[in-house]
Amino acid sequence: MLWETIRLAVQAIFRNMLRSFLTVLGIVIGVGAVIAMVTVGQGSQTQVTADVESLGSNTLIIRPGVGGMGGGGGLSADRSFVRADAEALREELSSIEIAAPYSMTNITAVYGNENHFTQLAGAETTLMDAMNWSIAEGRIFTDAEEKAGRAVCVIGETIIEELFFNINPIGEKLRLRSLSCEVVGILAAKGVTSYGDDQDDIVAIPLKTFQRRVAGNNDVSLIYVTVRDGVSTDRAIRDIEILMRERRRISAGEEDDFSVMDMKQIASVLSGITAVLTGLLSSVAAVSLLVGGIGIMNIMLVSVTERTREIGIRLAVGAQTGQVMLQFLVEAIVLSLLGGLLGIVLGLGLGALASNLMSIPFVPDPRVILIAFAFSAGVGVIFGYFPARRAAQMDPIEALRHQ
Amino acid sequence: MAGTAPLIELRGITKVYGAGEAEVRALRGVDLTITAGEFVAIMGPSGSGKSTVMNVLGCLDTPTSGTFLFEGVDVGKLDHDQRALLRRNYLGFVFQGYNLLPRTTALENVELPLIYKGLPRGERQRMALEALDKVGLSHRADHDPSQLSGGQQQRVAIARALAGGPDVILADEPTGNLDTERSREIMDLLSGLNKTENITIVMVTHEEDMAEYARRLVSFVDGHIEQDTKTPGKG
């Protein structure tokens, strides 16, 4: 009997295709919105984690000045590092594998008649490993070239797009202010980070060249450090702090004038932010689910009135209260489940589209899909009950007289 | 149910609508006995109570006072759902306005009472087709009511009333919406069912021509029976 009722409910729903669709539109949009939000949220969380991991999850960044991410780095008031700091870290600390000094500034790169405002990095070859960089074409500058401060550079994909078009850049001369340097290699593309940085919009030259020909001093902006396998990052951070305090002659009781950032920490902060945002947007979307449920009740009530005559006919041919009740209840449930299904498809579609546009991974969450489905069924039961009861309690003669 | 009891027995049935100034006494003490196999026509001017008595007979409406025995069972003592069971198993309805479900095929309309009997789909369809065949519409089984003429719709309605194998068919102005030609077809059909299937038929009509098909004529005036005569019947 139940199976039969379900079959008849599906029949009734498809008989009034347009009305059924409009009825469940609220559920479709609600479920769709929740699923799209969660999918995009999870996608960006995955992306943040992947970004951090592409830098190496055992990477630490030492920067001048106090404070966490964003603050301090590069401000002239803070005392910079020098290349010897990195060398000392490398040589004196067993917990550290690589210590790569790194300087950067913004600069206009010029080639022929084209120019492009980009990021200029001064680095040692060690940075390649510290940053998980690799060469797509050509080569990285050699240690010898770095030590000698030669005018050579490697460039990212974006530079090629902006300046070189169809020309093979290797061997070409790129002008950076007064410095004219030869392109010797192209960095493998890394894409855009989840917080919008184009990691391929970069020109890297030897650190020595940077200090001598661009900055005009011996400063190092940052030091990238990778922790040796099997050593905890906490221990490495402690080692670094002790050594750097000593090198920078910070007396006991005085605060550090530099900070060590753990990429893992940054990752957890970033994914924390994404999680909060996802939760917030999802709860807004959940409200629309509630509104969708009320919409179903509304239309089911209208439907009961509109179908009074039908109910009268059913009662006349011998339908009992429970059977009419079941019919309308099942119809409401099937209707909202169909809405839920449509919503899931819509949500996943939107999620996939958004993930594609934002170039983040598409991560559908089966739990959320299940919850959305269960919720739509619940909406059907709760908001279908009242109209169904009203239908079942109709007086047959009144119902038959209804025009 | 008791075989010896008359099929339908109304004793002192009254029906009052409204209260106070607006009180309408639709039935004022109706006594009527109908035995199995009869073809009864109920006539009377509008407001005479003929439709009200039909609704009482159909267990669609409850009388204000009096006793209604159906095959010896006191209908007044049955609850809502038991009356539904009685309609389902013993009664068939034919209405003036056909009352078919829209956007639903003739076959599905005829199946409707069988669904509530809890019959499996295959058997339902077989029985519904059989009923459609009896009214000569098995070739229209897949048509919606909107694709059928008035006469055809009424025949589908008769098939629906027939499908459940009722003891009684209650027809309320079955030819009220039809032209003379179509009306005669419906009446021939009903009197044929009365004869061949031995189904008791109680019909309300205000058309003398149609009442002539019945073998008993009950006239209502002002809520009570004015005249109750045997007629030769026709067709």
Side-chain angles (χ1 to χ4, degrees), chain B residues 41-119:
Chain B
I42 295 175
M43 293 198 70
S46 51
S48 62
K50 57 187 195 302
S51 281
T52 308
V53 85
M54 276 300 264
N55 291 335
V56 170
L57 288 177
C59 304
L60 294 170
D61 208 350
T62 47
T64 309
S65 68
T67 317
F68 170 22
L69 298 175
F70 188 90
E71 298 193 7
V73 173
D74 190 347
V75 175
K77 293 207 170 82
L78 302 180
D79 67 17
H80 199 269
D81 278 349
Q82 285 170 320
R83 287 202 302 277
L85 280 178
L86 197 150
R87 288 196 295 271
R88 184 191 296 173
N89 293 317
Y90 299 97
L91 304 179
F93 290 90
V94 178
F95 303 95
Q96 179 176 2
Y98 325 130
N99 272 342
L100 299 176
L101 296 183
R103 295 181 293 275
T104 305
T105 65
L107 188 72
E108 286 165 344
N109 263 293
V110 177
E111 267 186 68
L112 197 61
L114 304 174
I115 289 174
Y116 294 113
K117 282 195 164 188
L119 297 174

Side-chain angles (χ1 to χ4, degrees), chain A residues 1 4 7-8 11 15-16 309-310 313-324 327 392 394-397 400-401, chain B residues 17 55 60-61 80-82 84-85 87-88 93 95 97 99-104 108 112-113 115-116 118 121 124 160:
Chain A
M1 189 67 201
E4 192 61 38
R7 203 180 61 81
L8 291 173
Q11 233 173 47
R15 214 169 266 150
N16 292 298
R309 212 183 169 76
E310 177 194 326
I313 295 168
R314 289 180 185 276
L315 290 169
V317 301
Q320 290 174 323
T321 312
Q323 290 170 319
V324 174
Q327 184 201 340
M394 273 188 189
D395 180 24
I397 195 71
L400 276 171
R401 277 202 198 114
Chain B
Y17 294 110
N55 291 335
L60 294 170
D61 208 350
H80 199 269
D81 278 349
Q82 285 170 320
L85 280 178
R87 288 196 295 271
R88 184 191 296 173
F93 290 90
F95 303 95
N99 272 342
L100 299 176
L101 296 183
R103 295 181 293 275
T104 305
E108 286 165 344
L112 197 61
I115 289 174
Y116 294 113
R121 200 171 166 211
R124 252 168 28 213
R160 181 179 63 194

Side-chain angles (χ1 to χ4, degrees), chain A residues 259-382:
Chain A
S259 55
V260 185
M261 289 193 305
D262 183 353
M263 289 314 283
K264 264 192 205 134
Q265 243 175 344
I266 297 172
S268 76
V269 168
L270 281 177
S271 52
I273 293 169
T274 344
V276 168
L277 273 179
T278 305
L280 204 69
L281 291 172
S282 302
S283 48
V284 170
V287 171
S288 69
L289 262 183
L290 186 71
V291 175
I294 293 169
I296 284 209
M297 177 157 75
N298 195 1
I299 301 285
M300 287 305 289
L301 277 173
V302 169
S303 161
V304 166
T305 313
E306 195 185 274
R307 291 160 70 186
T308 301
R309 212 183 169 76
E310 177 194 326
I311 295 164
I313 295 168
R314 289 180 185 276
L315 290 169
V317 301
Q320 290 174 323
T321 312
Q323 290 170 319
V324 174
M325 171 110 190
L326 189 69
Q327 184 201 340
F328 277 82
L329 200 55
V330 166
E331 230 180 274
I333 295 169
V334 171
L335 201 56
S336 38
L337 278 183
L338 284 178
L341 274 181
L342 272 179
I344 289 169
V345 172
L346 177 79
L348 290 179
L350 280 180
L353 188 72
S355 307
N356 197 345
L357 288 177
M358 293 162 70
S359 37
I360 56 173
F362 173 56
V363 190
D365 186 342
R367 273 175 317 162
V368 173
I369 292 171
L370 213 69
I371 290 170
F373 200 69
F375 188 89
S376 345
V379 163
V381 173
I382 293 163

Side-chain angles (χ1 to χ4, degrees), chain B residues 12-191:
Chain B
I13 294 288
T14 66
K15 179 71 189 180
V16 180
Y17 294 110
E21 294 273 305
E23 188 180 280
V24 176
R25 297 172 64 191
L27 296 177
R28 313 176 180 220
V30 172
D31 298 297
L32 179 64
T33 303
I34 298 172
T35 52
E38 280 196 280
F39 187 165
V40 183
I42 295 175
M43 293 198 70
S46 51
S48 62
K50 57 187 195 302
S51 281
T52 308
V53 85
M54 276 300 264
N55 291 335
V56 170
L57 288 177
C59 304
L60 294 170
D61 208 350
T62 47
T64 309
S65 68
T67 317
F68 170 22
L69 298 175
F70 188 90
E71 298 193 7
V73 173
D74 190 347
V75 175
K77 293 207 170 82
L78 302 180
D79 67 17
H80 199 269
D81 278 349
Q82 285 170 320
R83 287 202 302 277
L85 280 178
L86 197 150
R87 288 196 295 271
R88 184 191 296 173
N89 293 317
Y90 299 97
L91 304 179
F93 290 90
V94 178
F95 303 95
Q96 179 176 2
Y98 325 130
N99 272 342
L100 299 176
L101 296 183
R103 295 181 293 275
T104 305
T105 65
L107 188 72
E108 286 165 344
N109 263 293
V110 177
E111 267 186 68
L112 197 61
L114 304 174
I115 289 174
Y116 294 113
K117 282 195 164 188
L119 297 174
R121 200 171 166 211
E123 196 176 343
R124 252 168 28 213
Q125 287 182 334
R126 189 183 57 73
M127 289 171 75
L129 261 178
E130 209 173 279
L132 275 176
D133 200 37
K134 280 181 191 160
V135 301
L137 274 182
S138 47
H139 61 295
R140 290 275 189 273
D142 293 335
H143 290 225
D144 278 3
S146 61
Q147 298 168 307
L148 298 170
S149 71
Q152 287 173 329
Q153 288 187 53
Q154 193 59 298
R155 283 197 279 165
V156 172
I158 292 172
R160 181 179 63 194
L162 207 54
D167 291 355
V168 186
I169 288 181
L170 299 166
D172 192 352
E173 302 269 11
T175 59
N177 287 4
L178 301 174
D179 61 36
T180 318
E181 186 69 19
R182 251 30 77 188
S183 297
R184 291 193 189 289
E185 283 175 21
I186 294 297
M187 290 316 300
D188 284 335
L189 186 56
L190 285 176
S191 81

Side-chain angles (χ1 to χ4, degrees), chain A residues 42-54 194-195 266-272 274 360-361:
Chain A
Q42 302 247 334
S44 40
Q45 222 160 317
T46 311
Q47 178 66 38
V48 168
T49 316
D51 283 348
V52 170
E53 263 160 23
S54 80
S194 47
Y195 29 95
I266 297 172
S268 76
V269 168
L270 281 177
S271 52
T274 344
I360 56 173

